[in-house]
Amino acid sequence: MPADISDFTGHRAVLAELDTTVRTPAPGGQVVVVNGMPGVGKTTLVVHWAHRHRDRFPDGQLWLSADAYGPTPPVSPEDALGRFLRALGVPADRVPAGGEQRRERFNQLLAGRRILIVLDNVRNSDQVRPLLPTAEGCVVVVTSRNRLMSLTIRQGIPSVTVPPLSDEDRRTLLSRVIGTARAAGEPGPVETLAQFSDGLPLALRIMGEHITARSRASVADLVDELWGRLLDSPDDHEDEEDDAKLSTVFAWSYNELDPPAGRLFRLLGLHPGRNVSPTAAAALLGAEPRTAERLLDALAKRHLVNHDAARRYRLHDLLRRYAAHRAEQDEPAECRRAALRRLLDWYLLSAVNAARVLSPHRPPVPDLPDDDTVEPLRFDGDAEAQRWCEAERANLAAVVRSAADNGFHRHAWQIPGAIHDAFGRYGRQDDVLVMHQIALTAAEADGHQIGQIGTLNNLGWTYFALHDYHRAASGFEAGLRLARRIGATGPVNVCSHNLANVHLKTGEVRKAIEIFKRVLAGCRESADLLGQAATLHRLGDAQQQLRRYDQAAACYQEALVIREGLGAWRDQAVTHERLAALRLRTGDPEGALRHCELALALQERARDDATRCDILITGADAERALGRYPAALERAYAAIALSDGIADSRRRAAGLAVLADTFLARGDLPASYDHCLEALGIIGELTGSDLDPVLDRLLKIENVVAPLRPAQRIASIALRAATSTGSQTGAYGGA
């Protein structure tokens, strides 16, 4: 829930009506719609009301900005439910794919809880209806510019309208902003300004800040100035009366800006994302980040932008529309296009720099623009690069769409290609899927065949991560056909490698081995060391599945030698972990621990939380096999904590299995049973043949510690579909 404001003013009758409405019992939970004109303060009022009643909702509060009128498309009900499930503790990889399944899980989690749900800035009833819970103890408050009459007529949901502030409240709020002493000294001009605002809190705050900044001027003189400005711009927003009321107030502050700040404000209307950093604003402006931040702070003081988070700023959606309108009026078309190109260049090159840190040995997207017009971000390490990718994730999705809509086709496929590997390390993949679908159309429009191949591979990988293996294979096969047609050897190897991964994870191990061997020969012929190592590693996985342990070890060792020569720290750690797992499987726990220690040391150079989690799980299992139970428990608990941090349920289940086995070996049967049942519950919500060994282990443990309950077996026993994140991303060169 956003923070409350300290000087909330007025709307006592609306707050009382909300109190009464929510107190009235209603079957299936309580819902109320709060509507009103733009800028009237709906969101601020609901936030204030929610903070007053926090004690009524001991199980928490959920807040969703539905973005009905923002720069990005409105949040779909499916996406909203996914966000709520993650907020309620469901790991990202266990959020159901379908909207109905998400809704069912949402209602299950809310049963018996008292939670406040706020759906802010909603467009229509269809956006709301799937999000209404059935739990009796929950309350839903919806804010919208529209009345949402369908909810009222069909479901009897009450509606509360937020009117403009009363005359008294207008004067009170303006006096608080400019200072009560100054307001008391000129009551007439203050009254006039209060009437100019039409009772809109945003307008009052903007006018008040303007007056505060001109401490030596009389309020009366500023009233005359405002009146003149109003007469100068009667037709800025003829299409919407409500916007016109605010646009005149916006114009007052806008016209007072010095030229650099005014230009930045205009150009911010071109930014397609939800918030903006000083460095992104600097790219728009073609200036230094320090200059952009100073100008952003100047805009914030006039309430033309708001502080969104640390060193990030957000425009109210009405101000964004006004900024875009001013840009269209005051900025030549060629300047607007040049600013947008700079912004796209900055996002693309910053994403490329992040990818170079996170995956330094992967080939970059081809044909990048020069960086002589922008200063992209550079990153000192994995953590910093990953933080930037996470912070900009929603913005990057919006930027890709904007690039495609404005004819910057190359940017529209290069940006998803650059950030694909980073976004594949965490979180949901549905937004990545949309980006790659846009990217494929853009690459085709650009006529860039290598771009098309790389995008097809990334699109295939995303389907792969979503367990849609048919579409994954289709993407890899389409990329392979195009790569063969143009004679691109490296992309042929990448497409074939990824297709073999599909076969490996769907149980066609021998078919996968045949393809891997052809890819390996091709990589050796082209002296592609990175491709050789990746393929040898996967061959090791395939041989291990067939229990050909000597051949698997030979493949892993050869891959490791190449990766050591390349200095690929992260990849070395991955191979050491697989060697550790192999040693453990073949009865050498001491050897397994040696590989684990080597892998952990490499982790200090190249952070990869998923691999570190695997290393800890394998190390814990090796300690258990050696009878070192305290050390085994310590590593297993650390692995489980890490799996929670990266929202990886597969790894959590594997860690719980080791815990259950360790407690069993210690003779603590209740603890073993508890961890076993938790792991079985997790596996019941997942798919993939890679889970089979964990499932088999858990069933054996449960058979020992307690009678197996059929109801607990049902969800687990049918899981045989394969899943992995082992495909290679992109096909811009190498394998």
Side-chain angles (χ1 to χ4, degrees), residues 633 659-675 705:
L633 294 176
L659 271 182
D661 224 350
T662 304
F663 279 116
L664 175 60
R666 291 182 60 178
D668 189 342
L669 301 189
S672 177
Y673 190 52
D674 288 345
H675 291 304
V705 297

Side-chain angles (χ1 to χ4, degrees), residues 73 165 366:
L165 291 173

Side-chain angles (χ1 to χ4, degrees), residues 163-240:
L165 291 173
S166 66
D167 290 348
E168 179 184 356
D169 289 334
R170 297 178 197 185
R171 292 190 295 270
T172 299
L173 178 56
L174 188 57
S175 297
R176 287 176 173 174
V177 176
I178 69 174
T180 54
R182 192 173 183 186
E186 296 186 73
V190 167
E191 174 66 26
T192 302
L193 285 175
Q195 294 305 315
F196 280 172
S197 73
D198 277 328
L200 302 179
L202 180 59
L204 285 162
R205 291 186 184 279
I206 289 174
M207 290 190 293
E209 292 295 336
H210 181 77
I211 293 169
T212 301
R214 315 245 328 244
S215 58
R216 296 187 178 182
S218 70
V219 178
D221 289 343
L222 295 175
V223 170
D224 292 339
E225 182 181 340
L226 172 61
W227 182 249
R229 295 283 169 80
L230 295 177
L231 295 177
D232 287 343
S233 54
D235 59 350
D236 275 351
H237 277 270
E238 295 177 341
D239 56 334
E240 288 194 35

Side-chain angles (χ1 to χ4, degrees), residues 395-407:
N395 283 343
L396 284 162
V399 163
V400 168
R401 188 180 297 275
S402 177
D405 290 344
N406 287 281

Side-chain angles (χ1 to χ4, degrees), residues 221-305:
D221 289 343
L222 295 175
V223 170
D224 292 339
E225 182 181 340
L226 172 61
W227 182 249
R229 295 283 169 80
L230 295 177
L231 295 177
D232 287 343
S233 54
D235 59 350
D236 275 351
H237 277 270
E238 295 177 341
D239 56 334
E240 288 194 35
E241 180 183 354
D242 292 337
D243 282 358
K245 294 174 182 177
L246 276 175
S247 68
T248 54
V249 177
F250 296 163
W252 188 25
S253 287
Y254 169 72
N255 291 331
E256 284 297 316
L257 296 172
D258 59 36
R263 182 163 180 263
L264 176 58
F265 177 73
R266 294 192 298 273
L267 295 180
L268 287 176
L270 307 179
H271 190 286
R274 294 176 179 173
N275 55 34
V276 62
S277 66
T279 44
L284 267 174
L285 196 60
E288 293 291 326
R290 194 174 304 172
T291 300
E293 187 163 18
R294 176 178 58 79
L295 296 174
L296 284 166
D297 285 336
L299 295 176
K301 288 179 181 178
R302 293 181 178 274
H303 287 276
L304 293 175
V305 299

